[in-house]
Amino acid sequence: WTYGGDVVNHITSVSGNAATSYEWRLVSLGILNLKTDGAIYAAWGTSSNDMFFVGDSGEILHFDGTNWMKFPKVTDKGLGAIWGTSDNDIWACGYDLTTHLSEVLHYDGTSWTKDALSTSGQAMRYASRDVWACDSAGQKFACISGFAVFRKTGISNWLLDTVNGLNVLADRSAHALMDITGNSPNDLIAAGGWGLVVHWNGGSWKRYDPFFDLTGSKSQEFSYPSLRGNAACVTGFKDNMSWILVGQRH
């Protein structure tokens, strides 16, 4: 877990179907003599003894439950999101709103490399703000979100998905930047600027219009969607207030 650029360790005990939370521990990388080039923003792992972290200036760290390790840098661009399906199939990405620099990296269990989305310039054009991945019936699936969504299954090429233009303002002047998550390749939810919330069912996208400001005149934004089973949650701000949207599929 990460919060505010700090690394946080969450200890949980699981017995049967019940999970008990015991403590939160703030881990100082400085105390561990592990200097990083800026803040750490996102974490993902297969277990508490196999955690990966990404942050400013292309920083990527690994924690094995005892020791911290820094990966050799393959980029100087900031990374703000990471997700994987196993310890040899991990994606990391980042997008800078000021410079518009974007990066997409992949880890195969041995080394991190720049993905074709980066080298082709597609990540720069459509942004690469967030990533989500899963293993669906033995097929690796990954999606990258920004001003559009890129979807990839197995070793196939990335498919550009413009979400049917549902994240575009009425006057076509701008696209909402999106975060993304899912249950499966056919069950994704994205949230973003101006109160955007959209869902992908495997065949089409649906926008939840009561929340989206088509004029772009209101200061409101949703982000960090969460989807588990039939329950969805999105956080953000609207009308100068913090909002948490909770949805239930029937």
Side-chain angles (χ1 to χ4, degrees):
W1 297 73
T2 61
Y3 177 79
D6 291 318
V7 176
V8 175
N9 184 20
H10 181 215
I11 301 175
T12 302
S13 173
V14 180
S15 177
N17 293 324
T20 303
S21 179
Y22 284 102
E23 70 170 304
W24 289 89
R25 267 199 326 241
L26 182 64
V27 179
S28 170
L29 298 182
I31 293 175
L32 296 173
N33 296 317
L34 191 64
K35 187 178 184 300
T36 59
D37 294 331
I40 301 299
Y41 293 116
W44 179 88
T46 62
S47 71
S48 60
N49 297 326
D50 185 25
M51 293 297 301
F52 296 80
F53 300 82
V54 296
D56 283 331
S57 303
E59 200 75 82
I60 305 178
L61 311 176
H62 180 259
F63 181 63
D64 65 6
T66 302
N67 300 309
W68 289 88
M69 184 265 287
K70 290 178 65 172
F71 284 96
K73 282 193 178 184
V74 296
T75 181
D76 289 325
K77 298 174 184 175
L79 302 171
I82 183 171
W83 206 272
T85 65
S86 67
D87 59 5
N88 60 12
D89 179 41
I90 305 174
W91 296 91
C93 66
Y95 173 70
D96 190 308
L97 277 169
T98 303
T99 64
H100 305 298
L101 294 176
S102 295
E103 192 71 278
V104 178
L105 306 178
H106 182 258
Y107 182 66
D108 62 4
T110 302
S111 60
W112 289 91
T113 56
K114 292 187 179 184
D115 183 73
L117 277 182
S118 290
T119 57
S120 68
Q122 289 285 76
M124 174 76 78
R125 181 177 180 183
Y126 292 99
S128 53
R129 175 183 169 91
D130 200 11
V131 60
W132 183 79
C134 71
D135 190 330
S136 178
Q139 285 282 351
K140 306 289 188 181
F141 172 82
C143 55
I144 303 282
S145 67
F147 296 115
V149 173
F150 287 95
R151 292 183 280 119
K152 177 183 176 68
T153 301
I155 61 173
S156 63
N157 294 327
W158 289 99
L159 172 67
L160 173 62
D161 187 337
T162 61
V163 298
N164 296 334
L166 295 178
N167 66 328
V168 184
L169 296 181
D171 62 3
R172 317 297 295 180
S173 63
H175 294 66
L177 193 61
M178 298 174 288
D179 292 332
I180 197 164
T181 192
N183 276 322
S184 72
N186 297 325
D187 190 12
L188 305 173
I189 187 170
W194 304 297
L196 178 75
V197 180
V198 292
H199 177 258
W200 168 254
N201 64 8
S204 62
W205 289 92
K206 175 184 178 180
R207 183 176 67 204
Y208 294 88
D209 286 332
F211 309 113
F212 188 53
D213 174 27
L214 277 167
T215 68
S217 61
K218 298 179 181 178
S219 177
Q220 58 190 50
E221 180 175 357
F222 293 147
S223 58
Y224 305 114
S226 177
L227 185 61
R228 179 66 63 88
N230 291 323
C233 181
V234 174
T235 61
F237 61 89
K238 185 177 186 295
D239 301 327
N240 296 317
M241 297 177 60
S242 297
W243 275 54
I244 299 176
L245 301 182
V246 178
Q248 185 73 30
R249 180 161 42 206
H250 299 288

